[in-house]
Amino acid sequence: MKIDNITVSAIVYSTEDPEKVGEAIATLFPFEFEIQVSHATGHYGNPIMFLEVEIKKKREIKEFWNHLIKLLGEQRTILIEFLDRLIDENGVLHIRIDKQQAYLGKVELAFGGDCIVVKAKLVTFPSKREKLIEFAREILSKGL
């Protein structure tokens, strides 16, 4: 059982400062990282940016994950309670962090709206939903 990769992303709307959104993302990281930037057009023709960080190295995955669950503290119990809704059919655990609070240096869960999305690709053998949920419960409780 392992986390294969982690993606951290956020949308920057035309009313937002990309630097500040980058700082919000940085709140989640215990190490240096590189943000990939892509541009798109919103529903009403407004420009939007996507900021994304991919973590693929085993050591960095472990360091990031353990740092994240430390930052989440007691909020982890909420994630554990709703694991069946947070893991998709591809074995990806979705965690949403409040973007504004992250900019202020606080890590708080978000349940919709404008947020930073952390996606952790979980791998278990066999790759059954029950095993994925069990693994997610374990790594949210104890870390990697």
Side-chain angles (χ1 to χ4, degrees):
M1 296 189 287
K2 67 175 185 169
I3 297 177
D4 187 60
N5 62 70
I6 297 174
T7 305
V8 181
S9 62
I11 296 173
V12 182
Y13 295 99
S14 56
T15 57
E16 295 179 305
D17 180 349
E19 293 286 322
K20 289 183 178 179
V21 176
E23 287 178 40
I25 290 172
T27 300
L28 304 178
F29 280 82
F31 54 80
E32 293 289 318
F33 60 93
E34 186 177 328
I35 295 178
Q36 303 297 319
V37 180
S38 53
H39 299 269
T41 304
H43 185 69
Y44 299 104
N46 52 315
I48 56 176
M49 293 170 63
F50 291 98
L51 304 184
E52 185 174 271
V53 180
E54 284 189 82
I55 309 167
K56 294 181 178 178
K57 293 179 182 166
K58 192 174 181 177
R59 179 186 56 79
E60 289 181 349
I61 289 170
K62 182 176 182 172
E63 191 176 346
F64 176 85
W65 186 261
N66 290 334
H67 183 69
L68 178 65
I69 66 166
K70 190 169 99 181
L71 292 172
L72 286 168
E74 292 301 312
Q75 297 176 86
R76 292 179 296 167
T77 58
I78 297 166
L79 293 173
I80 291 168
E81 186 178 329
F82 293 101
L83 273 177
D84 58 328
R85 296 183 205 159
L86 299 175
I87 298 174
D88 68 21
E89 64 279 355
N90 297 315
V92 177
L93 171 61
H94 298 257
I95 300 173
R96 300 165 73 90
I97 306 293
D98 185 293
K99 193 181 350 176
Q100 280 72 33
Q101 290 300 314
Y103 176 70
L104 299 173
K106 300 177 193 145
V107 176
E108 291 184 13
L109 293 175
F111 296 94
D114 194 18
C115 60
I116 298 168
V117 179
V118 177
K119 295 179 185 178
K121 172 66 173 141
L122 307 179
V123 178
T124 61
F125 304 101
S127 185
K128 291 193 177 348
R129 184 152 186 82
E130 302 79 40
K131 287 288 268 181
L132 291 166
I133 290 171
E134 180 186 318
F135 177 52
R137 183 177 290 116
E138 180 183 314
I139 63 175
L140 282 166
S141 299
K142 301 174 188 158
L144 281 175

